[in-house]
């Protein structure tokens, strides 16, 4: 295979590097999972789907990959994990549920959404609450190494002390002196020696019901600690790849490095990978600002952003048309264009079986296949890969029109390459071959009915316009009249 050519952009060194795994043929990869207090939004999905692509491609290259992605079910407080409410407890109070019911509900939602996107499950999916023992052991070690102190039942990481011998800021490029001069946190409000210190263990307030005994107090672990505990437990003190969204670089991943170095005297991760943000109306999709869209509302079309429903595989295809390291803005127009492109590709794939063969090929299929690998080997460049796959549409048309020729053997390579990249690597699904409706054709038919209804209204034939709306509604297709015209949604897809 071509794995010796794989290059990855490493956020730690800020350069594209040749990828060499620690153990030949096997790769350890850790990705920060969701905090399960609400439904995952499409921005979260972009990050997880980016790493699904990485996981799939590494496996496709023949590596044995152990992919660990955690579930954060404790410790992630509202302000970068450091202070404020625990959102899981907050939601439990609001919905009158046990905190673990909240965790279960949104973990199930996350799994359901990822399955709809045809993402592979990770090899191990550990939870923070299932690893309290390991987290306490790490805190004890960090205290013994002299890099943490306790105050009033809580334990804090001593960033200043750590920075004397190590580099706090190595990943984010931040400088500790600058951070100190830019903070205005009042010393009196906290037990910390320094505002940059972060919690390893927090003593629980009486109302904080998610609590565990520890040598310091009944309390709960700091957010950053769980990822250090679970990544090193399952992948070792030094492993290959650690991923997450760019917004986790600081403080979360910076703190993970500090904890691991303080505890194990080695840099934990060889390649740090960070995905860029999905934006909506030019702003980061985010739960806290309300600027987000839920996957299920896209599949049904029940939202104010899109003109119609889109299938999970089309949304995923849309995402992969941008490189994971670029910002991607979400819009109805861009999705419609992706849907058309996706349908063209799937059509080309479907008619490949019937393509005529001849004694010799005029198409250099090997070099085309290689260019697909080259794209993915260049830091998982899916938009370039997709551009190469689009060339297949041209090939297929030219073959059918007799303008190009292909041998039987090359046609097999052509088909194998399409299958490999469309389904194995990109993890797309062929909507039409699965018997679900061909969304583009359905949309065109509904658009026609919308036009007929508009005509009926213009003619003051309200019996007809109401009939169109009501009968569509009875079939589960809702028309919505807005200032930009009429859109539709489906109650189930
Ligand atoms: P959280 O549940 O908030 O910890 O987020 C889960 C993952 O989604 C993290 O890796 C975040 O970096 C990522 N994420 C959050 N918002 C976005 C976004 N708008 N675009 C891409 N990834 C995001
Ligand atoms: Zn993490």
């Amino acid at each position: 295979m071509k794995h010796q050519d794989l290059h990855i952009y490493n956020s730690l060194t800020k350069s594209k590097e040749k990828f060499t795994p620690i153990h030949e043929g096997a790769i350890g990869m850790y990705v920060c999972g969701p905090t399960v207090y609400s439904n995952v939004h499409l921005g979260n999905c972009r990050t997880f789907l980016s790493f699904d692509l990485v996981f799939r491609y590494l496996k496709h290259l023949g590596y044995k990959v152990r992919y660990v992605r955690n579930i954060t079910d404790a410790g992630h407080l509202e302000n970068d994990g450091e202070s404020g409410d625990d959102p899981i407890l907050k939601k439990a109070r609001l919905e009158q549920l046990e905190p673990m019911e909240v965790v279960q509900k949104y973990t199930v939602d996350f799994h359901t959404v990822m399955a709809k996107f045809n993402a592979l499950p990770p090899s191990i999916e550990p939870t923070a609450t299932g690893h309290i023992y390991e987290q306490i052991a790490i805190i004890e070690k960090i205290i013994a190494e002299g890099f943490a102190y306790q105050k009033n039942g809580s334990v804090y990481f001593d960033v200043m002390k750590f920075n004397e011998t190590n580099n706090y800021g190595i990943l984010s490029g931040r400088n500790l002196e600058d951070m100190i001069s830019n903070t205005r946190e009042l010393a009196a409000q906290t037990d910390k020696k320094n505002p940059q210190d972060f919690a390893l263990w927090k003593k629980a307030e009486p109302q904080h019901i998610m609590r565990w005994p520890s040598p310091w107090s009944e309390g709960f672990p700091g957010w950053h600690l769980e990822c250090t505990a679970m990544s090193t437990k399952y992948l070792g003190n030094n492993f290959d790849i650690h991923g997450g969204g760019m917004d986790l670089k600081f403080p979360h991943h910076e703190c993970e490095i500090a904890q691991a170095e303080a505890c194990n005297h080695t840099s934990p991760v060889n390649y740090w990978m960070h995905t860029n943000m999905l934006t909506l109306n030019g702003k980061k999709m985010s739960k806290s600002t309300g600027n987000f869209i839920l996957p299920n509302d896209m599949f049904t079309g029940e939202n104010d952003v899109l003109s119609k429903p889109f299938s999970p595989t089309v949304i995923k295809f849309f995402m992969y048309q941008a490189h994971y390291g670029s910002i991607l803005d979400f819009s109805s127009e861009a999705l419609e264009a992706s849907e058309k492109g996706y349908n063209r590709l799937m059509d080309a794939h479907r008619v490949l079986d019937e393509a005529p063969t001849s004694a010799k090929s005029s198409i250099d299929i090997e070099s085309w296949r290689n260019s697909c690998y080259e794209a993915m080997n260049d830091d998982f460049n899916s938009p370039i890969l997709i551009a190469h796959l689009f060339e297949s549409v041209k090939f297929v048309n030219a073959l059918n029109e007799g303008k190009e020729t292909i041998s039987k053997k090359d046609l097999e390579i052509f088909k194998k390459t399409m299958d490999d990249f469309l389904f194995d690597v990109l993890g797309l699904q062929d909507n039409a071959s699965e018997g679900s409706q061909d969304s583009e054709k359905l949309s065109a038919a509904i658009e026609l009915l919308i036009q007929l209804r508009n005509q009926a209204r213009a003619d003051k034939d309200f019996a007809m316009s109401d009939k169109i709306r009501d009968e569509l509604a009875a079939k589960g297709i809702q028309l919505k009249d807005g200032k930009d015209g009429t859109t539709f949604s489906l109650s189930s897809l």
Side-chain angles (χ1 to χ4, degrees), residues 45-57 114 117-120 278 312-324 328 338 376 380-387 389 421-428:
C45 294
R46 183 187 185 199
T47 287
F48 298 125
L49 291 175
S50 297
F51 287 106
D52 188 54
L53 180 68
V54 171
F55 183 38
R56 281 172 175 276
Y57 187 59
M114 292 318 282
F117 278 120
N118 195 30
L120 299 173
L278 185 68
T313 202
V314 165
I315 297 165
K316 182 155 117 164
F317 184 69
F318 157 77
M319 290 188 189
Y320 290 164
Q321 282 188 291
H323 184 252
Y324 76 82
L328 173 62
S338 287
M376 286 304 284
F380 310 96
N381 202 326
S382 55
I384 302 288
L385 167 68
I386 290 172
L389 294 177
F421 284 97
L422 287 175
F423 306 119
D424 192 32
V425 173
L426 293 173
L428 299 173

Side-chain angles (χ1 to χ4, degrees), residues 75-148:
H76 189 173
L77 304 184
E78 275 170 340
N79 303 311
D80 267 340
E82 260 317 283
S83 61
D85 269 334
D86 178 329
I88 295 174
L89 282 180
K90 210 168 160 179
K91 194 60 161 259
R93 279 197 294 273
L94 202 71
E95 297 193 356
Q96 296 193 320
L97 295 171
E98 267 293 314
M100 277 298 142
E101 281 182 287
V102 173
V103 163
Q104 183 70 21
K105 179 174 168 183
Y106 294 111
T107 303
V108 169
D109 169 75
F110 173 55
H111 289 159
T112 310
V113 167
M114 292 318 282
K116 283 188 183 163
F117 278 120
N118 195 30
L120 299 173
S123 329
I124 305 178
E125 195 167 43
T127 62
T129 56
H131 294 75
I132 301 291
Y133 170 82
E134 287 82 352
Q135 297 182 72
I136 289 175
I138 291 181
I139 300 173
E140 284 176 330
K141 188 112 188 272
I142 298 177
I143 294 176
E145 295 286 343
F147 291 118

